[in-house]
Amino acid sequence: MSMTLALQRAIQATPERTATVFHQRRQSFRTFGDRVARTAGVLQTLGMQPGDRVGLLGVNSDRWLEALMGVWWAGGVLNPVNTRWSVAEIVYSLDDCDTGILLVDDHFLHRVEGICASAKRPPRIVHVGDGPTSEGMLSLQALVAGGAPVDDASRAASDLACILYTGGTTGFPKGVVHSHGTLWSIGIQRLAQTPMPGDSIALHVAPLFHMGGIGRALVQFIAGQTHVLATGFDAREVLQTIERERVTDLLLVPTMLQALITHPEFDCFDLSSLKRMVYGASPIGESVLERALALLPDVEFTHSYGMTELGNATSNPPQNHGVQGRASGLSRSAGRATFGVAVKVVDETGQELPRGEVGELIACGPNLMLGYWNKPAETARALRNGWLYTGDGARMDAGGNVFIVDRLKDMIVSGGENVYSAEVENVIARHPAVQACAVIAVPDARWGEAVHAVVVPKPGGQLDDAALLAHCRSLIAGYKCPKSFEFRAELPLSAAGKVVKRALREPHWAGQS
Ligand code: ATP
Ligand code: MG
């Protein structure tokens, strides 16, 4: 069952409904579907065979979605490229996937020469943008205009659909293989987690090349609803677009949500169309969530926990974000296992732990990746007996609600005590002069690892070690309080808006064994 079936259904059922909105351009499902079928025809004319990998390097746009569906319609496997990657990283991924054709949008044409010069087997470059095409390069728009639509290749559920790279937060990104079947599961599970009665207009702000963004797009395709595309995250533009397009659904990572609600013009826009907000992908500061809930009282908030390897594992529904949920602490949970998923918290040997104890979260369901591309050892470590080992530390309460405590790699073991960096970050973020922070382990002769905080003060905010330490001491145990502080203007963020802690840790650990 190919993902393209979702599009076919929308074309038949609601041909005149708006499929995509990108700046001033609107396309109905009829037009979008026609372009997808023509794009597939172009790819086949260029020699793409079923199962071949096709790369896509571009920012969020309607053309990105056409390329995605066009590749699937032609029977290919999409390899979306992270737009933040260097040429060397792009080439690594293209070579890794043996990508025959690379679709490049207007923003990345300047990268093409470098890519072709260093790739082992330079891919065929096709320009997918609407701007002028470089000399000698194929233009998809011209070929689509002159070409003919072809029939859907109708791939099977077990056929590969895409190779998505992980966020690269903890190490070099890994290619995660999903089939049409696992993607259908991911889309349906998300739809079940956040039902959308009535018409939905979703604004895609999170990058489509990550699971968060593409997974949200799948929901919209399955439901046959409208996609509004934002090139990247700009808080003002997001506010403006919500007002202009009467957006109903938004998925944001916590750093984006914070930027949105603290924007000086937040109150100047009519956000009354907004019905549902899904947040997740990294820990959220309690103060950010409280403020968001207060500022958007009519919006249903859902917390989603997931990863590239499985889409979603747990979700915390809107009812847990109300007054009661906030009082009981449930609003801070990542919620229960998503529809069709089972989760457990286990020890190092894979044994399930009693409720309340912290261990590794593992998940199983029809949404799990098939494996990491070309990485059998990593695949064997992550997928064991049908369960995916997430690498995330969590505890579960008696009601099955999961609380993510930290990535196991980010946990700090100081003097034999486990310190969860996310907990300390939450406490520091409550200080009124703190804009953002990250807590990491640094080497310490006495404690093995010591808690170290990297703090970004608010503009004009007055902060020093003593004040922050006193603040932490008043809220958490002494062994959890940072032994040292460092002040910076900003934190290194990945394309998904996550703090890249390994970049903060590296200088401290350089030279350590
Ligand atoms: P890499 O695997 O390359 O280091 P990554 O793990 O950041 O990168 P993703 O698959 O995009 O790549 O992210 C999944 C991870 O993000 C999860 O394993 C978890 O650590 C974190 N995460 C996702 N959702 C949440 C959430 N709701 N709360 C806390 N952490 C989350
Ligand atoms: Mg990961």
Side-chain angles (χ1 to χ4, degrees):
M1 187 160 91
S2 164
M3 275 313 308
T4 48
L5 277 186
L7 176 60
Q8 285 198 32
R9 205 179 67 154
I11 298 167
Q12 279 159 15
T14 51
E16 302 314 325
R17 176 174 290 159
T18 304
T20 57
V21 180
F22 183 58
H23 299 300
Q24 308 310 320
R25 184 165 59 214
R26 278 161 204 283
Q27 296 188 100
S28 66
F29 273 102
R30 187 198 304 281
T31 312
F32 181 85
D34 180 60
R35 292 186 57 88
V36 164
R38 285 168 188 270
T39 299
V42 171
L43 291 169
Q44 287 173 348
T45 311
L46 293 176
M48 199 214 85
Q49 299 290 321
D52 281 359
R53 269 77 60 202
V54 177
L56 174 54
L57 172 57
V59 297
N60 289 6
S61 75
D62 50 357
R63 300 295 183 231
W64 204 103
L65 291 181
E66 282 168 27
L68 165 81
M69 277 291 168
V71 169
W72 285 343
W73 200 274
V77 178
L78 191 80
N79 164 26
V81 176
N82 185 325
T83 55
R84 293 267 206 101
W85 280 345
S86 64
V87 167
E89 288 164 318
I90 296 172
V91 167
Y92 164 82
S93 152
L94 299 178
D95 282 341
D96 189 33
C97 295
D98 196 15
T99 304
I101 296 174
L102 176 64
L103 308 173
V104 184
D105 82 0
D106 296 334
H107 296 81
F108 297 95
L109 289 177
H110 65 285
R111 290 273 171 103
V112 166
E113 209 179 304
I115 292 169
C116 292
S118 42
K120 278 195 207 114
R121 192 172 71 88
R124 188 96 181 255
I125 304 291
V126 181
H127 174 216
V128 287
D130 296 290
T133 302
S134 306
E135 220 184 291
M137 198 181 285
L138 293 170
S139 157
L140 186 70
Q141 303 319 324
L143 294 169
V144 161
V150 293
D151 288 341
D152 184 359
S154 298
R155 301 293 277 170
S158 55
D159 285 327
L160 302 199
C162 66
I163 302 174
L164 286 176
Y165 281 77
T166 58
T169 315
T170 59
F172 205 78
K174 300 178 284 282
V176 171
V177 181
H178 278 289
S179 65
H180 285 278
T182 61
L183 292 184
W184 262 106
S185 301
I186 288 168
I188 288 171
Q189 286 167 342
R190 284 190 172 203
L191 194 53
Q193 154 201 302
T194 314
M196 307 189 304
D199 290 348
S200 157
I201 300 171
L203 174 59
H204 300 319
V205 179
L208 289 166
F209 56 78
H210 276 320
M211 177 54 88
I214 198 172
R216 187 65 194 75
L218 295 181
V219 172
Q220 219 61 3
F221 277 121
I222 290 172
Q225 301 288 331
T226 305
H227 307 255
V228 181
L229 288 306
T231 314
F233 181 78
D234 175 277
R236 192 172 189 284
E237 202 181 314
V238 170
L239 293 167
Q240 221 169 19
T241 309
I242 295 172
E243 179 180 279
R244 192 187 66 230
E245 299 299 335
R246 306 292 299 153
V247 169
T248 59
D249 288 84
L250 194 56
L251 175 143
L252 293 178
V253 303
T255 43
M256 293 174 179
L257 182 56
Q258 182 177 18
L260 199 74
I261 58 176
T262 53
H263 193 273
E265 289 174 86
F266 181 85
D267 290 333
C268 305
F269 294 93
D270 173 7
L271 308 180
S272 60
S273 60
L274 208 53
K275 290 194 176 123
R276 290 162 292 265
M277 167 96 71
V278 177
Y279 65 92
S282 57
I284 189 162
E286 286 166 30
S287 45
V288 174
L289 181 59
E290 275 165 27
R291 186 158 178 192
L293 291 168
L295 285 173
L296 297 164
D298 299 326
V299 174
E300 293 183 347
F301 281 80
T302 300
H303 178 185
S304 151
Y305 159 82
M307 55 201 299
T308 314
E309 290 85 339
L310 47 63
N312 265 73
T314 69
S315 61
N316 199 22
Q319 52 270 35
N320 285 349
H321 289 80
V323 180
Q324 273 187 346
R326 273 133 91 185
S328 66
L330 261 191
S331 60
R332 290 195 292 279
S333 154
R336 294 208 197 124
T338 308
F339 180 71
V341 177
V343 292
K344 286 199 278 195
V345 175
V346 300
D347 66 13
E348 293 83 19
T349 67
Q351 286 301 309
E352 187 165 9
L353 285 164
R355 297 289 165 101
E357 284 189 28
V358 172
E360 182 169 4
L361 188 72
I362 66 173
C364 114
N367 51 331
L368 301 193
M369 66 167 179
L370 304 190
Y372 294 117
W373 184 257
N374 281 341
K375 290 198 166 27
E378 277 89 341
T379 303
R381 204 174 307 134
L383 283 175
R384 287 177 247 163
N385 301 322
W387 289 82
L388 186 110
Y389 283 67
T390 64
D392 290 315
R395 66 184 166 81
M396 200 189 280
D397 71 9
N401 292 291
V402 172
F403 292 78
I404 306 295
V405 294
D406 213 351
R407 283 182 194 261
L408 296 177
K409 285 185 181 169
D410 287 345
M411 217 171 71
I412 303 157
V413 186
S414 189
E417 296 278 7
N418 287 347
V419 179
Y420 306 119
S421 63
E423 181 187 3
V424 186
E425 284 159 7
N426 245 318
V427 165
I428 298 175
R430 288 191 163 263
H431 191 287
V434 170
Q435 165 106 21
C437 70
V439 167
I440 55 167
V442 294
D444 186 277
R446 183 163 169 213
W447 305 106
E449 291 181 351
V451 181
H452 177 77
V454 185
V455 179
V456 179
K458 280 199 179 137
Q462 286 298 312
L463 275 176
D464 58 40
D465 296 23
L468 273 179
L469 190 57
H471 168 79
C472 292
R473 282 244 164 90
S474 70
L475 294 167
I476 40 172
Y479 72 91
K480 297 179 183 172
C481 295
K483 297 267 182 305
S484 51
F485 293 89
E486 179 184 332
F487 297 95
R488 288 201 181 204
E490 57 185 21
L491 296 175
L493 294 182
S494 70
K498 301 186 196 190
V499 179
V500 184
K501 291 194 186 176
R502 69 193 150 90
L504 296 173
R505 272 193 294 257
E506 260 156 25
H508 295 276
W509 289 89
Q512 301 272 330
S513 58

